[in-house]
Amino acid sequence: MGAAGAVGSIEAEGQAGRAGRKRPIGGLLVSTGASVTGNAMVLILVPWLVLEQTGNAAYAGLINSAALLAALIALGFGAALLDRHDRRNLSVWADVLSALSVIAIPIIDGFGALTTGVLVVLVAVGAIFDGPGRSAREAMRPVIATRSGLTLERTNALGEVMDGVGNVVGPAGAGLAVAALGLASSFWLAGGIFAVAAVVFFVTQEPSPPERIGDGEESYAAATAAGFRLVWRDPVLRATAILASLFGLFLVPIVLVFTATFEAEDRPAALGIVLASFAVGSIVGAALYAVAGERFRRRPILLAGLFAFALGVLAMSLALGSVTALVIVAIVTGVVAGPVGPVFSVVIQQRTADEFRGRVIATIGTLEMIAAPLSLAIVGVLIEATSPSTALAILGLGCVGATCYAAIAPGLRHIESDDLVGIR
């Protein structure tokens, strides 16, 4: 081989190596964005369907509560799955089953057989697999970061950017799809997006079996209980889990408030625009953290983001009558609150050894959702009894309280990189 051929071979190998490094992170980002988009669409479409058929916000809240309760049970008892089985395959199957459950809704409705019980079951089936699938992808982020030559901070920030993209495209797409295509076609579109997420993740990621724990004979119940013990015994993880559960209590019902507001006005496009606006701000905030987050301390970023979010919810409760005002507040709030997700993810991942990472992530996810079914049901009744603006103001005050906890919690004073230790 001549000198020119040798140089060409070296360049080709270099290009192949760079392409190989980009493939895992690219697949993670595309599949994350698609999966979040599908979930964000379903979060709009199901309450819209219920409100269209019944006109009752409390009923819509109960349907969503059933879905979250199913997800809570699955995530809690399925936490050990993430440390026992291939995480890539768990994520892929989660999106496949979500796709099937979503497209089943218009199919069954077309036969006139979509009863309340059937809808609850279908929504619950989709929700059951969403939590473990999302946790599996997050548990793989450190491995993907290594394979892609990126820092953990940047990988998590990019992941949160794609969460934001999904939360832009999902609500906006749901609103526009309902307006342009109708409700049934919108469900088909959401199911197709889940399928894209599954295919992309499967073809871009290598199998990811977790490290085995001991002799592998530990029961699933014992493994799940061990995950809760790990979280509770570590002060940083415990404080993170408590904060996540507090914000889950007050954050999840916010979408129901907006859905009830704009469904009553028959303005699906406005609903999508408002919900997408916060996600746009979150994308900007997470992107800024990806670029410069490593230069700053985590705790001030976390507290500023949480406080901005709480104030933003309160401001939106006063601006429900103006779409323009809601959009402005949502974008500003999202920019400041955008780094919160990446900070949480980095802390959890660095704090936990790989063989326990799946169950710890799933445990914190379970605690985040544990009160959401009850809060959804209560907020649905509250909307009917008072008004959407009152319900949103109460949720905003709850977020203020959660931020105050974050400011005083001893465990959250030790989230800087120098203080982190792995759980072994």
Side-chain angles (χ1 to χ4, degrees), residues 208-285:
S208 182
E211 296 181 16
R212 291 296 178 185
I213 305 172
D215 57 9
E217 296 181 357
E218 185 182 30
S219 70
Y220 281 96
T224 300
F228 280 90
R229 287 197 302 272
L230 285 172
V231 170
W232 194 252
R233 289 175 179 174
D234 183 79
V236 174
L237 294 178
R238 182 173 64 244
T240 300
I242 292 173
L243 182 60
S245 66
L246 288 173
F247 267 90
L249 175 68
F250 301 113
L251 175 61
V252 172
I254 290 176
V255 174
L256 177 61
V257 174
F258 286 125
T259 303
T261 299
F262 290 105
E263 193 280 335
E265 301 172 1
D266 194 25
R267 300 170 68 189
L271 172 64
I273 290 170
V274 170
L275 293 179
S277 298
F278 177 77
V280 168
S282 298
I283 291 171
V284 175

Side-chain angles (χ1 to χ4, degrees), residues 102-123:
V102 169
I103 64 176
I105 293 176
I107 292 174
I108 295 175
D109 190 36
F111 287 101
L114 190 64
T115 64
T116 301
V118 171
L119 181 60
V120 168
V121 169
L122 291 175
V123 172

Side-chain angles (χ1 to χ4, degrees), residues 19-422:
R21 287 195 298 271
K22 291 179 181 178
R23 182 175 177 178
I25 187 64
L28 171 68
L29 299 182
V30 171
S31 60
T32 296
S35 186
V36 173
T37 296
N39 279 307
M41 290 185 70
V42 172
L43 195 62
I44 300 297
L45 297 176
V46 170
W48 195 277
L49 174 64
V50 175
L51 288 166
E52 186 178 84
Q53 294 183 347
T54 69
N56 193 314
Y59 186 56
L62 287 173
I63 294 289
N64 274 351
S65 294
L68 279 174
L69 183 59
L72 175 63
I73 294 171
L75 194 55
F77 288 96
L81 289 173
L82 278 71
D83 292 326
R84 294 287 191 92
H85 299 286
D86 191 299
R87 292 166 182 167
R88 181 197 67 172
N89 293 342
L90 284 173
S91 177
V92 169
W93 277 111
D95 284 322
V96 168
L97 292 169
S98 292
L100 294 175
S101 67
V102 169
I103 64 176
I105 293 176
I107 292 174
I108 295 175
D109 190 36
F111 287 101
L114 190 64
T115 64
T116 301
V118 171
L119 181 60
V120 168
V121 169
L122 291 175
V123 172
V125 167
I128 281 174
F129 300 104
D130 177 50
R134 183 179 62 251
S135 296
R137 275 195 304 272
E138 186 171 339
M140 285 183 64
R141 284 182 182 177
V143 174
I144 293 173
T146 300
R147 291 173 180 169
S148 303
L150 299 176
T151 65
L152 196 55
E153 285 81 2
R154 181 159 295 183
T155 299
N156 279 288
L158 291 174
E160 295 298 324
V161 166
M162 294 311 298
D163 278 347
V165 170
N167 284 316
V168 169
V169 176
L176 294 174
V178 170
L181 305 175
L183 198 53
S185 297
S186 300
F187 278 105
W188 278 100
L189 179 60
I193 292 172
F194 276 121
V196 169
V199 171
V200 169
F201 204 68
F202 182 78
V203 300
T204 59
Q205 305 302 322
E206 297 179 13
S208 182
E211 296 181 16
R212 291 296 178 185
I213 305 172
D215 57 9
E217 296 181 357
E218 185 182 30
S219 70
Y220 281 96
T224 300
F228 280 90
R229 287 197 302 272
L230 285 172
V231 170
W232 194 252
R233 289 175 179 174
D234 183 79
V236 174
L237 294 178
R238 182 173 64 244
T240 300
I242 292 173
L243 182 60
S245 66
L246 288 173
F247 267 90
L249 175 68
F250 301 113
L251 175 61
V252 172
I254 290 176
V255 174
L256 177 61
V257 174
F258 286 125
T259 303
T261 299
F262 290 105
E263 193 280 335
E265 301 172 1
D266 194 25
R267 300 170 68 189
L271 172 64
I273 290 170
V274 170
L275 293 179
S277 298
F278 177 77
V280 168
S282 298
I283 291 171
V284 175
L288 290 173
Y289 186 77
V291 173
E294 298 173 41
R295 305 174 188 174
F296 301 95
R297 289 173 57 84
R298 293 173 186 156
R299 189 165 184 267
I301 293 176
L302 176 67
L303 293 179
L306 295 176
F307 186 62
F309 181 81
L311 290 182
V313 175
L314 288 173
M316 285 187 282
S317 71
L318 301 174
L320 272 182
S322 170
V323 173
T324 302
L326 285 174
V327 167
I328 294 172
V329 173
I331 290 175
V332 173
T333 301
V335 170
V336 184
V340 170
V343 169
F344 268 136
S345 296
V346 170
V347 169
I348 294 169
Q349 291 162 12
Q350 287 194 340
R351 195 78 181 175
T352 314
D354 181 74
E355 61 265 31
F356 301 112
R357 187 173 295 130
R359 71 183 72 182
V360 167
I361 290 173
T363 296
I364 293 176
T366 300
L367 294 173
E368 181 179 359
M369 295 193 302
I370 200 165
L374 179 61
S375 67
L376 270 171
I378 292 174
V379 169
V381 173
L382 188 60
I383 292 171
E384 290 292 320
T386 58
S387 67
S389 60
T390 300
L392 195 57
I394 292 172
L395 293 173
L397 291 174
C399 292
V400 171
T403 303
C404 291
Y405 167 78
I408 65 174
L412 294 179
R413 298 173 185 170
H414 306 287
I415 61 172
E416 308 305 326
S417 59
D418 291 342
D419 299 327
L420 299 181
V421 294

